[in-house]
C-alpha cells in the first residue's frame, strides 16, 4: 500500500470491518514511490517502465533482485537501467557466480566433493578477519530472517552479499590454487573449500525468497537435498565445533553436481 492511501486503509477500512463485527488487518505494510531517474513516473512524461520488457532483458530473478535490493519501504526508490546492470553484474555475476565457479573448479576441488572441516587446522591458518567471517556466517540466518519478517528485504540482501564478499576475500587471501599444488597443504585447502561451499549453501538457502531460480540452481550445484532448504538448515554448526564433531552438518562428503551452467550471465 502506498503511503498516500494510508489513512483509508489504516483508519477507515478497519473501522468499517469492526462495525461489521469482522476482524481488522493484523498489520499494514506501507511503501513509498518508485522514481525514474529521480523523477516521479508519469504517462504524460513517458518515463514509465515496462516490467515485462525488463524481465526479458534481466531475467525474472535479476529484475526481482534489483527491485528488492533497491526498494526501501520508508523512502522513494530510484529506478535506472544503468543501476540495474551495475548491481546484477556486481552481485550475481561477479560476487556470487564467480565464487561458485572458483570453488568447484576441477583444478582446485579435484574430487568434486563437499569436503570435511577441521576446526584445529582452521584456527592455525585463520586470520582475525577469517574468524570474524565464520562468526558472522553463524549469525547470518537469524539476521536475514529478522529482516525478511520486517519486510526489509534490502537489509537481508545486504547482509548476504556482505558475507559473499568476505568469503571471496577469504578465498583469494588463502590462494587455494597454490595450496592444491602442495600435498602437505591438503587439509588447509579442504578447509578453504569447505568454508566457501558452506557460505554458498547458507546464502543460497537465504536467497530463495529473492531469486528462487538462481538460488535453486546454486543449491542443486552443491547437491543440497530438497529437505535441507529451510531457514534452520542455513546454520553451520560444524564451522565452530572445536571437537571436530561432524554430526552438526550432513553436507560434507557429498559429491557436487557436474552441472557447469553459468549461474547468471553477465549483462552488457
Amino acid at each position: 500500500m502506498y503511503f498516500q492511501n494510508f489513512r483509508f486503509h489504516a483508519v477507515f477500512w478497519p473501522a468499517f470491518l469492526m462495525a461489521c463485527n469482522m476482524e481488522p488487518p493484523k498489520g499494514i505494510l506501507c511503501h513509498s514511490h518508485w522514481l525514474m531517474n529521480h523523477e516521479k513516473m508519469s504517462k504524460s512524461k513517458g518515463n514509465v517502465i515496462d516490467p515485462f520488457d525488463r524481465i526479458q532483458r534481466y531475467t525474472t530473478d535479476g529484475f526481482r533482485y534489483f527491485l528488492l535490493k533497491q526498494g526501501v519501504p520508508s523512502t522513494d526508490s530510484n529506478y535506472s537501467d544503468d543501476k540495474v546492470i551495475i548491481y546484477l553484474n556486481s552481485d550475481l555475476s561477479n560476487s556470487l557466480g564467480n565464487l561458485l565457479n572458483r570453488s568447484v573448479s576441477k583444478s582446485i576441488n579435484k574430487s568434486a566433493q563437499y569436503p570435511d572441516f577441521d576446526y584445529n587446522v582452521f584456527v592455525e591458518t585463520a586470520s582475525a578477519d577469517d574468524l570474524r567471517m565464520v562468526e558472522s556466517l553463524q549469525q547470518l540466518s537469524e539476521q536475514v530472517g529478522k529482516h525478511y519478517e520486517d519486510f526489509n528485504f534490502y537489509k537481508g540482501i545486504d547482509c548476504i552479499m556482505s558475507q559473499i564478499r568476505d568469503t571471496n576475500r577469504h578465498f583469494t587471501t588463502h590462494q587455494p590454487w597454490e595450496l592444491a599444488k602442495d600435498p602437505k597443504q591438503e587439509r588447509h585447502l579442504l578447509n578453504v573449500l569447505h568454508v566457501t561451499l558452506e557460505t554458498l549453501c547458507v546464502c543460497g538457502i537465504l536467497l530463495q525468497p529473492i531469486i528462487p531460480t538462481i538460488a535453486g540452481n546454486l543449491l542443486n550445484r552443491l547437491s543440497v537435498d530438497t529437505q535441507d532448504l529451510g531457514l534452520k538448515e542455513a546454520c553451520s554448526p560444524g564451522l565452530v565445533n572445536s571437537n571436530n564433531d561432524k554430526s552438526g552438518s550432513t553436507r560434507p562428503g557429498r559429491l557436487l553436481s557436474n552441472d557447469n551452467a553459468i549461474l547468471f550471465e553477465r549483462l552488457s
Side-chain angles (χ1 to χ4, degrees):
M1 177 188 67
Y2 180 54
F3 70 84
Q4 289 180 339
N5 301 324
F6 182 76
R7 186 178 181 186
F8 174 81
H9 288 283
V11 180
F12 297 141
W13 180 243
F16 297 156
L17 293 175
M18 293 171 68
C20 297
N21 292 321
M22 298 176 67
E23 182 112 4
K26 291 184 172 61
I28 296 175
L29 176 62
C30 183
H31 63 81
S32 52
H33 266 308
W34 270 99
L35 307 178
M36 175 62 175
N37 293 325
H38 302 288
E39 292 185 349
K40 186 176 179 180
M41 292 189 193
S42 167
K43 291 182 181 178
S44 60
K45 289 184 178 180
N47 63 342
V48 295
I49 294 297
D50 180 351
F52 298 103
D53 172 71
R54 294 323 192 269
I55 287 172
Q56 290 295 319
R57 290 193 202 182
Y58 308 129
T59 74
T60 301
D61 272 23
F63 197 47
R64 283 170 61 111
Y65 181 84
F66 174 79
L67 295 179
L68 290 170
K69 177 182 174 70
Q70 184 69 10
V72 179
S74 57
T75 58
D76 289 343
S77 303
N78 185 57
Y79 183 90
S80 162
D81 283 315
D82 290 341
K83 188 179 291 187
V84 176
I85 293 173
I86 291 172
Y87 280 2
L88 298 188
N89 282 342
S90 174
D91 291 2
L92 301 186
S93 180
N94 294 351
S95 295
L96 186 63
N98 283 347
L99 184 61
L100 173 64
N101 292 339
R102 295 200 292 174
S103 60
V104 300
S105 168
K106 291 182 179 179
S107 63
I108 296 176
N109 194 338
K110 298 177 181 179
S111 63
Q113 270 193 331
Y114 204 118
D116 292 333
F117 181 76
D118 190 314
Y119 179 84
N120 294 325
V121 173
F122 176 75
V123 171
E124 292 174 1
T125 58
S127 66
D129 286 340
D130 295 333
L131 295 174
R132 282 192 293 267
M133 178 195 67
V134 167
E135 182 179 356
S136 174
L137 184 62
Q138 301 298 319
Q139 302 168 357
L140 189 64
S141 175
E142 182 178 356
Q143 290 177 344
V144 173
K146 182 65 168 61
H147 290 318
Y148 285 176
E149 288 176 1
D150 293 339
F151 300 103
N152 288 320
F153 299 105
Y154 73 102
K155 289 185 177 180
I157 292 172
D158 285 347
C159 289
I160 293 169
M161 295 314 302
S162 176
Q163 191 72 45
I164 290 291
R165 287 190 292 271
D166 285 346
T167 306
N168 266 303
R169 175 200 53 75
H170 170 80
F171 195 92
T172 300
T173 299
H174 287 268
Q175 299 182 326
W177 54 89
E178 294 295 335
L179 297 176
K181 300 175 184 177
D182 185 356
K184 295 181 181 179
Q185 297 296 327
E186 181 182 15
R187 189 63 264 174
H188 185 181
L189 170 64
L190 295 180
N191 268 2
V192 173
L193 291 176
H194 178 92
V195 170
T196 303
L197 294 175
E198 190 75 0
T199 298
L200 286 167
C201 180
V202 170
C203 291
I205 292 172
L206 297 176
L207 282 169
Q208 288 177 108
I210 309 298
I211 44 174
T213 301
I214 293 175
N217 291 338
L218 169 61
L219 295 168
N220 287 337
R221 185 70 177 88
L222 301 179
S223 299
V224 179
D225 290 345
T226 55
Q227 64 185 10
D228 295 333
L229 302 180
L231 196 60
K232 66 179 181 179
E233 280 76 31
C235 298
S236 311
L239 291 180
V240 292
N241 194 332
S242 60
N243 297 319
N244 281 325
D245 180 5
K246 304 181 185 96
S247 61
S249 176
T250 60
R251 292 186 279 269
R254 292 181 181 177
L255 289 174
L256 302 175
S257 165
N258 57 6
D259 181 6
N260 293 319
I262 296 175
L263 204 58
F264 185 82
E265 291 277 1
R266 186 172 177 81
L267 301 169
S268 58

